[in-house]
């Protein structure tokens, strides 16, 4: 096994910035902005359809998304808004290049 790369001060700072990043979008905001259904939101967040339906309920059976769910929706919103602007090299690094080709 190889030795792991040492973390620099710059990289520690990036980790701190990332851990405090307030980047999120609620399911209600995402649903209102994009023509999606609950099943598609469930797919984006890796949740069950019933969990997502619970996010849109009121009352004692209401469920609440986690911070990770909010981040998934915000990232998907970003990709939907800016996919064509992302450089090809970055899509390759993110393993989205094949996805881009299948969408063409």
């Amino acid at each position: 096994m190889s030795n792991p790369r040492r973390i620099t001060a710059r990289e520690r700072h990036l980790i701190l910035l990332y851990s405090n990043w307030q980047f999120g979008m609620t399911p209600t905001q995402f649903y209102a902005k994009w023509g999606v259904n609950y099943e598609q939101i469930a797919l984006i967040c890796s949740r069950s359809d019933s969990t997502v339906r619970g996010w849109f309920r009121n009352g004692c059976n209401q469920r609440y998304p986690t911070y990770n769910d909010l981040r998934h929706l915000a990232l998907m919103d970003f990709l939907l808004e800016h996919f064509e602007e992302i450089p090809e090299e970055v899509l390759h690094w993110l393993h989205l290049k094949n996805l881009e080709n299948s969408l063409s």
Side-chain angles (χ1 to χ4, degrees):
M1 184 191 231
S2 64
N3 290 332
R5 190 173 141 196
R6 287 193 169 277
I7 298 294
T8 66
R10 176 185 167 273
E11 291 159 343
R12 281 193 300 278
H13 181 70
L14 283 171
I15 290 170
L16 184 62
L17 286 174
Y18 181 81
S19 66
N20 291 305
W21 191 20
Q22 298 299 310
F23 186 64
M25 183 176 218
T26 68
T28 304
Q29 292 169 323
F30 192 86
Y31 185 79
K33 183 173 180 179
W34 298 102
V36 295
N37 57 39
Y38 293 175
E39 291 79 18
Q40 290 165 319
I41 292 175
L43 184 62
I44 292 165
C45 296
S46 298
R47 299 291 181 191
S48 69
D49 295 349
S50 63
T51 295
V52 172
R53 281 192 302 275
W55 295 343
F56 291 90
R57 271 190 221 117
N58 291 318
C60 63
N61 291 325
Q62 185 175 10
R63 298 176 121 175
Y64 298 95
T66 66
Y67 181 72
N68 285 335
D69 298 320
L70 304 180
R71 187 175 282 182
H72 279 298
L73 292 172
L75 286 169
M76 189 71 244
D77 176 62
F78 178 84
L79 286 172
L80 290 169
E81 286 281 359
H82 302 287
F83 192 77
E84 290 78 19
E85 301 164 38
I86 299 171
E88 209 171 297
E89 185 176 25
V90 173
L91 293 174
H92 181 74
W93 294 335
L94 297 173
H95 303 283
L96 291 173
K97 187 61 185 151
N98 291 337
L99 175 66
E100 180 193 32
N101 292 335
S102 68
L103 295 175
S104 300

